mmCIF file of all heavy atoms in Angstrom:
data_model
loop_
_atom_site.group_PDB
_atom_site.id
_atom_site.type_symbol
_atom_site.label_atom_id
_atom_site.label_comp_id
_atom_site.label_asym_id
_atom_site.label_seq_id
_atom_site.Cartn_x
_atom_site.Cartn_y
_atom_site.Cartn_z
ATOM 1 N N LEU R 24 1.059 -8.863 2.860
ATOM 2 C CA LEU R 24 2.506 -8.660 2.703
ATOM 3 C C LEU R 24 3.265 -9.947 3.011
ATOM 4 O O LEU R 24 4.234 -10.284 2.329
ATOM 5 C CB LEU R 24 3.005 -7.555 3.632
ATOM 6 C CG LEU R 24 2.769 -6.126 3.149
ATOM 7 C CD1 LEU R 24 3.257 -5.127 4.182
ATOM 8 C CD2 LEU R 24 3.455 -5.886 1.824
ATOM 9 N N THR R 25 2.821 -10.680 4.025
ATOM 10 C CA THR R 25 3.482 -11.934 4.401
ATOM 11 C C THR R 25 3.381 -12.954 3.270
ATOM 12 O O THR R 25 4.368 -13.620 2.927
ATOM 13 C CB THR R 25 2.847 -12.509 5.691
ATOM 14 O OG1 THR R 25 2.861 -11.486 6.680
ATOM 15 C CG2 THR R 25 3.615 -13.711 6.200
ATOM 16 N N GLU R 26 2.202 -13.071 2.679
ATOM 17 C CA GLU R 26 2.012 -14.020 1.569
ATOM 18 C C GLU R 26 2.886 -13.637 0.372
ATOM 19 O O GLU R 26 3.517 -14.498 -0.245
ATOM 20 C CB GLU R 26 0.538 -14.064 1.146
ATOM 21 C CG GLU R 26 -0.372 -14.697 2.183
ATOM 22 C CD GLU R 26 -1.858 -14.461 1.912
ATOM 23 O OE1 GLU R 26 -2.212 -13.432 1.284
ATOM 24 O OE2 GLU R 26 -2.662 -15.293 2.355
ATOM 25 N N ALA R 27 2.946 -12.338 0.069
ATOM 26 C CA ALA R 27 3.766 -11.867 -1.058
ATOM 27 C C ALA R 27 5.246 -12.137 -0.786
ATOM 28 O O ALA R 27 5.962 -12.629 -1.663
ATOM 29 C CB ALA R 27 3.530 -10.375 -1.293
ATOM 30 N N SER R 28 5.701 -11.840 0.451
ATOM 31 C CA SER R 28 7.106 -12.076 0.803
ATOM 32 C C SER R 28 7.462 -13.552 0.671
ATOM 33 O O SER R 28 8.536 -13.900 0.191
ATOM 34 C CB SER R 28 7.382 -11.634 2.240
ATOM 35 O OG SER R 28 7.293 -10.241 2.333
ATOM 36 N N THR R 29 6.553 -14.426 1.092
ATOM 37 C CA THR R 29 6.782 -15.871 0.998
ATOM 38 C C THR R 29 6.950 -16.296 -0.457
ATOM 39 O O THR R 29 7.786 -17.145 -0.770
ATOM 40 C CB THR R 29 5.608 -16.634 1.664
ATOM 41 O OG1 THR R 29 5.493 -16.185 3.013
ATOM 42 C CG2 THR R 29 5.860 -18.124 1.665
ATOM 43 N N LEU R 30 6.164 -15.691 -1.349
ATOM 44 C CA LEU R 30 6.277 -16.026 -2.775
ATOM 45 C C LEU R 30 7.580 -15.503 -3.385
ATOM 46 O O LEU R 30 8.161 -16.136 -4.269
ATOM 47 C CB LEU R 30 5.088 -15.455 -3.558
ATOM 48 C CG LEU R 30 3.729 -16.107 -3.325
ATOM 49 C CD1 LEU R 30 2.636 -15.307 -4.031
ATOM 50 C CD2 LEU R 30 3.735 -17.549 -3.807
ATOM 51 N N ILE R 31 8.030 -14.333 -2.925
ATOM 52 C CA ILE R 31 9.241 -13.721 -3.490
ATOM 53 C C ILE R 31 10.492 -14.452 -3.006
ATOM 54 O O ILE R 31 11.422 -14.672 -3.763
ATOM 55 C CB ILE R 31 9.298 -12.211 -3.148
ATOM 56 C CG1 ILE R 31 8.172 -11.478 -3.887
ATOM 57 C CG2 ILE R 31 10.652 -11.619 -3.541
ATOM 58 C CD1 ILE R 31 7.967 -10.032 -3.463
ATOM 59 N N ARG R 32 10.489 -14.854 -1.733
ATOM 60 C CA ARG R 32 11.641 -15.592 -1.197
ATOM 61 C C ARG R 32 11.612 -17.020 -1.678
ATOM 62 O O ARG R 32 10.559 -17.572 -1.964
ATOM 63 C CB ARG R 32 11.611 -15.587 0.332
ATOM 64 C CG ARG R 32 11.985 -14.261 0.914
ATOM 65 C CD ARG R 32 12.260 -14.382 2.405
ATOM 66 N NE ARG R 32 12.163 -13.073 3.013
ATOM 67 C CZ ARG R 32 11.167 -12.679 3.797
ATOM 68 N NH1 ARG R 32 10.208 -13.513 4.111
ATOM 69 N NH2 ARG R 32 11.153 -11.456 4.286
ATOM 70 N N GLY R 33 12.793 -17.639 -1.700
ATOM 71 C CA GLY R 33 12.866 -19.043 -2.109
ATOM 72 C C GLY R 33 14.289 -19.533 -2.034
ATOM 73 O O GLY R 33 15.155 -18.893 -1.439
ATOM 74 N N ASP R 34 14.530 -20.671 -2.638
ATOM 75 C CA ASP R 34 15.863 -21.270 -2.593
ATOM 76 C C ASP R 34 16.892 -20.352 -3.248
ATOM 77 O O ASP R 34 16.619 -19.756 -4.298
ATOM 78 C CB ASP R 34 15.869 -22.629 -3.301
ATOM 79 C CG ASP R 34 15.034 -23.661 -2.542
ATOM 80 O OD1 ASP R 34 14.939 -23.551 -1.302
ATOM 81 O OD2 ASP R 34 14.482 -24.564 -3.197
ATOM 82 N N LEU R 35 18.070 -20.263 -2.610
ATOM 83 C CA LEU R 35 19.171 -19.466 -3.169
ATOM 84 C C LEU R 35 19.465 -19.926 -4.590
ATOM 85 O O LEU R 35 19.507 -21.119 -4.859
ATOM 86 C CB LEU R 35 20.441 -19.659 -2.328
ATOM 87 C CG LEU R 35 20.625 -18.785 -1.107
ATOM 88 C CD1 LEU R 35 21.950 -19.130 -0.426
ATOM 89 C CD2 LEU R 35 20.588 -17.319 -1.452
ATOM 90 N N GLY R 36 19.645 -18.986 -5.503
ATOM 91 C CA GLY R 36 19.996 -19.325 -6.878
ATOM 92 C C GLY R 36 18.802 -19.607 -7.764
ATOM 93 O O GLY R 36 18.935 -19.661 -8.982
ATOM 94 N N SER R 37 17.608 -19.788 -7.185
ATOM 95 C CA SER R 37 16.417 -20.015 -8.015
ATOM 96 C C SER R 37 15.925 -18.668 -8.537
ATOM 97 O O SER R 37 16.309 -17.612 -8.045
ATOM 98 C CB SER R 37 15.332 -20.745 -7.224
ATOM 99 O OG SER R 37 14.879 -19.941 -6.150
ATOM 100 N N VAL R 38 15.047 -18.714 -9.539
ATOM 101 C CA VAL R 38 14.594 -17.489 -10.194
ATOM 102 C C VAL R 38 13.136 -17.218 -9.839
ATOM 103 O O VAL R 38 12.316 -18.127 -9.800
ATOM 104 C CB VAL R 38 14.765 -17.600 -11.728
ATOM 105 C CG1 VAL R 38 14.114 -16.424 -12.452
ATOM 106 C CG2 VAL R 38 16.240 -17.679 -12.085
ATOM 107 N N VAL R 39 12.832 -15.955 -9.556
ATOM 108 C CA VAL R 39 11.451 -15.520 -9.366
ATOM 109 C C VAL R 39 11.171 -14.445 -10.415
ATOM 110 O O VAL R 39 12.032 -13.622 -10.722
ATOM 111 C CB VAL R 39 11.188 -14.982 -7.928
ATOM 112 C CG1 VAL R 39 12.056 -13.784 -7.611
ATOM 113 C CG2 VAL R 39 9.716 -14.655 -7.716
ATOM 114 N N THR R 40 9.965 -14.498 -10.990
ATOM 115 C CA THR R 40 9.588 -13.515 -12.003
ATOM 116 C C THR R 40 8.608 -12.523 -11.394
ATOM 117 O O THR R 40 7.544 -12.907 -10.913
ATOM 118 C CB THR R 40 8.955 -14.206 -13.227
ATOM 119 O OG1 THR R 40 9.896 -15.153 -13.742
ATOM 120 C CG2 THR R 40 8.630 -13.195 -14.316
ATOM 121 N N LEU R 41 9.011 -11.256 -11.378
ATOM 122 C CA LEU R 41 8.131 -10.190 -10.891
ATOM 123 C C LEU R 41 7.570 -9.432 -12.089
ATOM 124 O O LEU R 41 8.319 -8.963 -12.941
ATOM 125 C CB LEU R 41 8.886 -9.221 -9.975
ATOM 126 C CG LEU R 41 9.470 -9.782 -8.679
ATOM 127 C CD1 LEU R 41 10.082 -8.656 -7.854
ATOM 128 C CD2 LEU R 41 8.445 -10.537 -7.880
ATOM 129 N N HIS R 42 6.248 -9.350 -12.133
ATOM 130 C CA HIS R 42 5.569 -8.595 -13.197
ATOM 131 C C HIS R 42 5.202 -7.250 -12.587
ATOM 132 O O HIS R 42 4.480 -7.179 -11.596
ATOM 133 C CB HIS R 42 4.321 -9.350 -13.667
ATOM 134 C CG HIS R 42 4.621 -10.722 -14.169
ATOM 135 N ND1 HIS R 42 4.863 -10.987 -15.492
ATOM 136 C CD2 HIS R 42 4.746 -11.899 -13.507
ATOM 137 C CE1 HIS R 42 5.115 -12.285 -15.637
ATOM 138 N NE2 HIS R 42 5.054 -12.861 -14.450
ATOM 139 N N ILE R 43 5.733 -6.199 -13.183
ATOM 140 C CA ILE R 43 5.656 -4.871 -12.576
ATOM 141 C C ILE R 43 4.944 -3.894 -13.497
ATOM 142 O O ILE R 43 5.149 -3.899 -14.716
ATOM 143 C CB ILE R 43 7.083 -4.387 -12.244
ATOM 144 C CG1 ILE R 43 7.529 -5.108 -10.979
ATOM 145 C CG2 ILE R 43 7.160 -2.888 -12.087
ATOM 146 C CD1 ILE R 43 8.882 -4.750 -10.498
ATOM 147 N N TYR R 44 4.123 -3.048 -12.897
ATOM 148 C CA TYR R 44 3.545 -1.901 -13.592
ATOM 149 C C TYR R 44 4.239 -0.671 -13.041
ATOM 150 O O TYR R 44 4.274 -0.448 -11.838
ATOM 151 C CB TYR R 44 2.033 -1.816 -13.350
ATOM 152 C CG TYR R 44 1.420 -0.559 -13.921
ATOM 153 C CD1 TYR R 44 1.282 -0.401 -15.297
ATOM 154 C CD2 TYR R 44 1.004 0.485 -13.088
ATOM 155 C CE1 TYR R 44 0.749 0.762 -15.834
ATOM 156 C CE2 TYR R 44 0.468 1.643 -13.612
ATOM 157 C CZ TYR R 44 0.347 1.776 -14.984
ATOM 158 O OH TYR R 44 -0.175 2.935 -15.515
ATOM 159 N N ARG R 45 4.846 0.102 -13.940
ATOM 160 C CA ARG R 45 5.565 1.316 -13.539
ATOM 161 C C ARG R 45 4.653 2.509 -13.826
ATOM 162 O O ARG R 45 4.497 2.917 -14.982
ATOM 163 C CB ARG R 45 6.874 1.406 -14.315
ATOM 164 C CG ARG R 45 7.793 2.497 -13.828
ATOM 165 C CD ARG R 45 9.213 2.281 -14.313
ATOM 166 N NE ARG R 45 9.868 1.255 -13.517
ATOM 167 C CZ ARG R 45 10.985 0.644 -13.881
ATOM 168 N NH1 ARG R 45 11.582 0.961 -15.015
ATOM 169 N NH2 ARG R 45 11.520 -0.271 -13.096
ATOM 170 N N PRO R 46 4.044 3.098 -12.762
ATOM 171 C CA PRO R 46 3.014 4.129 -12.953
ATOM 172 C C PRO R 46 3.465 5.355 -13.750
ATOM 173 O O PRO R 46 2.718 5.858 -14.577
ATOM 174 C CB PRO R 46 2.644 4.550 -11.526
ATOM 175 C CG PRO R 46 3.193 3.515 -10.633
ATOM 176 C CD PRO R 46 4.283 2.816 -11.349
ATOM 177 N N TYR R 47 4.690 5.838 -13.513
ATOM 178 C CA TYR R 47 5.080 7.102 -14.159
ATOM 179 C C TYR R 47 5.423 6.946 -15.628
ATOM 180 O O TYR R 47 5.468 7.926 -16.354
ATOM 181 C CB TYR R 47 6.202 7.819 -13.393
ATOM 182 C CG TYR R 47 7.333 6.918 -12.946
ATOM 183 C CD1 TYR R 47 8.456 6.747 -13.719
ATOM 184 C CD2 TYR R 47 7.247 6.240 -11.732
ATOM 185 C CE1 TYR R 47 9.481 5.909 -13.300
ATOM 186 C CE2 TYR R 47 8.271 5.403 -11.311
ATOM 187 C CZ TYR R 47 9.389 5.246 -12.106
ATOM 188 O OH TYR R 47 10.392 4.414 -11.700
ATOM 189 N N THR R 48 5.665 5.715 -16.110
ATOM 190 C CA THR R 48 5.868 5.545 -17.555
ATOM 191 C C THR R 48 4.718 4.747 -18.163
ATOM 192 O O THR R 48 4.680 4.520 -19.364
ATOM 193 C CB THR R 48 7.198 4.816 -17.855
ATOM 194 O OG1 THR R 48 7.168 3.547 -17.205
ATOM 195 C CG2 THR R 48 8.398 5.614 -17.404
ATOM 196 N N LYS R 49 3.797 4.294 -17.278
ATOM 197 C CA LYS R 49 2.625 3.512 -17.694
ATOM 198 C C LYS R 49 3.019 2.260 -18.488
ATOM 199 O O LYS R 49 2.347 1.881 -19.432
ATOM 200 C CB LYS R 49 1.656 4.380 -18.502
ATOM 201 C CG LYS R 49 1.012 5.488 -17.674
ATOM 202 C CD LYS R 49 -0.003 6.273 -18.490
ATOM 203 C CE LYS R 49 -0.794 7.258 -17.674
ATOM 204 N NZ LYS R 49 -0.056 8.176 -16.848
ATOM 205 N N GLU R 50 4.144 1.625 -18.091
ATOM 206 C CA GLU R 50 4.550 0.414 -18.806
ATOM 207 C C GLU R 50 4.548 -0.794 -17.884
ATOM 208 O O GLU R 50 4.715 -0.674 -16.672
ATOM 209 C CB GLU R 50 5.923 0.598 -19.462
ATOM 210 C CG GLU R 50 7.046 0.919 -18.497
ATOM 211 C CD GLU R 50 8.378 1.195 -19.193
ATOM 212 O OE1 GLU R 50 8.669 0.573 -20.233
ATOM 213 O OE2 GLU R 50 9.127 2.019 -18.664
ATOM 214 N N LYS R 51 4.320 -1.952 -18.497
ATOM 215 C CA LYS R 51 4.406 -3.214 -17.769
ATOM 216 C C LYS R 51 5.739 -3.862 -18.126
ATOM 217 O O LYS R 51 6.084 -3.966 -19.295
ATOM 218 C CB LYS R 51 3.246 -4.134 -18.148
ATOM 219 C CG LYS R 51 1.927 -3.671 -17.573
ATOM 220 C CD LYS R 51 0.805 -4.663 -17.849
ATOM 221 C CE LYS R 51 -0.451 -4.235 -17.116
ATOM 222 N NZ LYS R 51 -1.554 -5.192 -17.327
ATOM 223 N N ILE R 52 6.493 -4.275 -17.094
ATOM 224 C CA ILE R 52 7.825 -4.849 -17.313
ATOM 225 C C ILE R 52 7.911 -6.142 -16.524
ATOM 226 O O ILE R 52 7.369 -6.254 -15.423
ATOM 227 C CB ILE R 52 8.945 -3.902 -16.809
ATOM 228 C CG1 ILE R 52 8.667 -2.456 -17.219
ATOM 229 C CG2 ILE R 52 10.301 -4.332 -17.329
ATOM 230 C CD1 ILE R 52 9.490 -1.440 -16.479
ATOM 231 N N THR R 53 8.618 -7.114 -17.082
ATOM 232 C CA THR R 53 8.837 -8.384 -16.397
ATOM 233 C C THR R 53 10.306 -8.487 -16.010
ATOM 234 O O THR R 53 11.184 -8.217 -16.826
ATOM 235 C CB THR R 53 8.457 -9.562 -17.328
ATOM 236 O OG1 THR R 53 7.092 -9.402 -17.701
ATOM 237 C CG2 THR R 53 8.618 -10.885 -16.623
ATOM 238 N N PHE R 54 10.557 -8.841 -14.760
ATOM 239 C CA PHE R 54 11.921 -9.007 -14.264
ATOM 240 C C PHE R 54 12.115 -10.446 -13.790
ATOM 241 O O PHE R 54 11.349 -10.928 -12.948
ATOM 242 C CB PHE R 54 12.189 -8.073 -13.070
ATOM 243 C CG PHE R 54 12.240 -6.614 -13.426
ATOM 244 C CD1 PHE R 54 11.104 -5.820 -13.352
ATOM 245 C CD2 PHE R 54 13.431 -6.021 -13.829
ATOM 246 C CE1 PHE R 54 11.158 -4.473 -13.671
ATOM 247 C CE2 PHE R 54 13.494 -4.671 -14.146
ATOM 248 C CZ PHE R 54 12.355 -3.904 -14.067
ATOM 249 N N ASP R 55 13.101 -11.130 -14.348
ATOM 250 C CA ASP R 55 13.493 -12.452 -13.852
ATOM 251 C C ASP R 55 14.676 -12.239 -12.919
ATOM 252 O O ASP R 55 15.759 -11.872 -13.363
ATOM 253 C CB ASP R 55 13.897 -13.376 -15.016
ATOM 254 C CG ASP R 55 12.714 -13.687 -15.921
ATOM 255 O OD1 ASP R 55 11.606 -13.897 -15.383
ATOM 256 O OD2 ASP R 55 12.890 -13.720 -17.153
ATOM 257 N N LEU R 56 14.456 -12.456 -11.636
ATOM 258 C CA LEU R 56 15.478 -12.166 -10.631
ATOM 259 C C LEU R 56 15.965 -13.448 -9.981
ATOM 260 O O LEU R 56 15.166 -14.278 -9.561
ATOM 261 C CB LEU R 56 14.910 -11.236 -9.553
ATOM 262 C CG LEU R 56 14.337 -9.906 -10.048
ATOM 263 C CD1 LEU R 56 13.608 -9.192 -8.934
ATOM 264 C CD2 LEU R 56 15.441 -9.024 -10.601
ATOM 265 N N THR R 57 17.277 -13.594 -9.893
ATOM 266 C CA THR R 57 17.871 -14.750 -9.224
ATOM 267 C C THR R 57 17.981 -14.443 -7.740
ATOM 268 O O THR R 57 18.603 -13.455 -7.349
ATOM 269 C CB THR R 57 19.258 -15.066 -9.816
ATOM 270 O OG1 THR R 57 19.106 -15.265 -11.225
ATOM 271 C CG2 THR R 57 19.850 -16.316 -9.182
ATOM 272 N N ARG R 58 17.354 -15.287 -6.935
ATOM 273 C CA ARG R 58 17.370 -15.072 -5.482
ATOM 274 C C ARG R 58 18.784 -15.201 -4.949
ATOM 275 O O ARG R 58 19.526 -16.103 -5.331
ATOM 276 C CB ARG R 58 16.456 -16.082 -4.796
ATOM 277 C CG ARG R 58 14.990 -15.894 -5.146
ATOM 278 C CD ARG R 58 14.155 -16.977 -4.508
ATOM 279 N NE ARG R 58 12.746 -16.785 -4.729
ATOM 280 C CZ ARG R 58 12.002 -17.574 -5.512
ATOM 281 N NH1 ARG R 58 12.550 -18.585 -6.164
ATOM 282 N NH2 ARG R 58 10.716 -17.340 -5.635
ATOM 283 N N ALA R 59 19.145 -14.283 -4.059
ATOM 284 C CA ALA R 59 20.502 -14.246 -3.508
ATOM 285 C C ALA R 59 20.423 -14.072 -2.004
ATOM 286 O O ALA R 59 19.368 -13.758 -1.451
ATOM 287 C CB ALA R 59 21.284 -13.089 -4.134
#
């Protein structure tokens, strides 16, 4: 969890891309999130 949190956090305003599998719809979705 610590390693994952370190990867998700970063400089304010920078973008992190989370690749997500949504079990109940069985779809893979990509989210580009701007760190705030």
Side-chain angles (χ1 to χ4, degrees):
L24 280 178
T25 307
E26 291 167 332
S28 292
T29 303
L30 289 173
I31 292 170
R32 286 193 199 107
D34 293 330
L35 274 180
S37 64
V38 172
V39 61
T40 302
L41 298 184
H42 302 267
I43 283 181
Y44 174 72
R45 189 162 282 164
Y47 45 93
T48 58
K49 293 183 172 52
E50 60 184 325
K51 288 185 173 182
I52 316 165
T53 302
F54 291 93
D55 294 320
L56 303 170
T57 304
R58 294 176 176 111

